[in-house]
Structures are given as structure tokens and as C-alpha cells.
Amino acid sequence: MLLAGPDVTESAELSLPFAQVLVAQGSFPNEYDSYRDLRDAVYDTHLEGLSVRTMPSKQTLWCRVSRDAFSSGLSLAHLGAAYIDALKEVPGVAAAEALFVTSSAADVAKLQRAASGAQRLVDAMMKMYQEQNFDCETCEYQDVCDTVMDLKKIRKKLADGKAV
């Protein structure tokens, strides 16, 4: 677990800027199912006294630590360990890491470009799996597929499977 900035237990502030980055490495033969399993593992991770609300479409995350949990020492290290454990339970995951940024709103904002790119990649993959439409010329994610070669491999695998 990596932390850039103060942990909730170290800050005198009632509110901190917050970003989390979770990374899993492994072998994922079905990208769609693996992504869904990884996402669900994160969403299903709950710690006593920690409330997490997300708005994935806006890449927004809110966390609230209860007074009891705060006084008991609940920290981002606990949350990171819980996420890592949950991710490692997903079939195919060999390693996982959690990064939290609480240093400043400017530091959190610096992650926006990478987060937006990752979200477009996920959105492109989801569209391929859900719609099974492989007409690249009319797809709003053509720029993503032209940049990320693995998406072309996924598209070919799906198109070949559809032809069967």
C-alpha cells in the first residue's frame, strides 16, 4: 500500500483531498469477466465505520470515517490491505497494489488525465462485449482502440467467436 500525503489518523483536518488507484496484475483470459470480478471485489470491500460512495461515471469517490472508527485507529493502510486482499481473491490475480493520494487537491487533479484514459479504455472494452458490434469506423472509441493494441486483440477474439 502506498500513501502520498497524510493518513486520516495523522490529519488534523476534518476533510482531505482523496484519490485511490488500485492495480491488479495477473492472467485474465476473459477481459470482460475479469474486469467485472475485479470491480465487484472492490465494491464489495467494506470496513466497519467506513462509508464509501462512488459515482464511476464522474470518477468521483467519497469516503467517510465514523468517529468510532477514527478513534479506533481506522486508517488508509487498513483500507489498502482490505482492497489488496479482495483483489487477490479474484481468479487470475497474481499481485495487487493500492495507492492513496491525500497530499493536496492539485495532486489529486494530476491523476485526472490518467483516470480518464483508463475509463475510456474500460468503456471501449465494455461496448465491445455488450454490443458485439465490431464496426470500428462508426465507434466513438476508435481512437482508444487505435492506441491500445490489446483492445484490437480483444476485438479480434470477440469477432472470431461471433463468427462461429
Side-chain angles (χ1 to χ4, degrees):
M1 198 279 307
L2 303 169
L3 175 61
D7 203 326
V8 293
T9 57
E10 303 167 340
S11 177
E13 300 296 320
L14 291 176
S15 179
L16 288 172
F18 183 74
Q20 73 179 26
V21 178
L22 304 174
V23 179
Q25 183 271 327
S27 174
F28 307 108
N30 183 311
E31 296 84 359
Y32 178 77
D33 289 342
S34 296
Y35 169 76
R36 191 185 60 229
D37 293 345
L38 291 165
R39 179 200 63 204
D40 292 349
V42 171
Y43 286 160
D44 292 342
T45 300
H46 303 287
L47 296 179
E48 185 70 32
L50 177 70
S51 175
V52 179
R53 299 289 179 257
T54 63
M55 190 183 298
S57 64
K58 295 192 185 260
Q59 298 178 343
T60 303
L61 174 80
W62 298 273
C63 294
R64 182 183 178 285
V65 177
S66 73
R67 286 186 175 108
D68 289 343
F70 180 81
S71 63
S72 296
L74 179 67
S75 69
L76 292 174
H78 294 113
L79 180 59
Y83 280 146
I84 290 168
D85 289 345
L87 289 169
K88 285 184 176 179
E89 291 294 317
V90 174
V93 173
E97 188 59 78
L99 162 67
F100 299 107
V101 178
T102 62
S103 50
S104 70
D107 288 343
V108 169
K110 288 177 186 175
L111 296 171
Q112 182 61 41
R113 184 171 177 204
S116 293
Q119 185 63 52
R120 284 201 35 90
L121 190 148
V122 167
D123 291 346
M125 181 184 68
M126 300 293 275
K127 179 176 177 148
M128 278 192 281
Y129 273 90
Q130 292 171 348
E131 294 182 12
Q132 296 285 305
N133 179 350
F134 307 112
D135 180 12
C136 295
E137 299 302 317
T138 62
C139 180
E140 69 267 29
Y141 298 108
Q142 183 178 4
D143 62 313
V144 178
C145 292
D146 287 346
T147 306
V148 181
M149 294 308 293
D150 282 346
L151 283 176
K152 288 183 180 184
K153 291 176 188 174
I154 292 169
R155 179 192 174 281
K156 180 173 176 15
K157 183 171 69 172
L158 288 170
D160 289 349
K162 186 177 182 183
V164 173

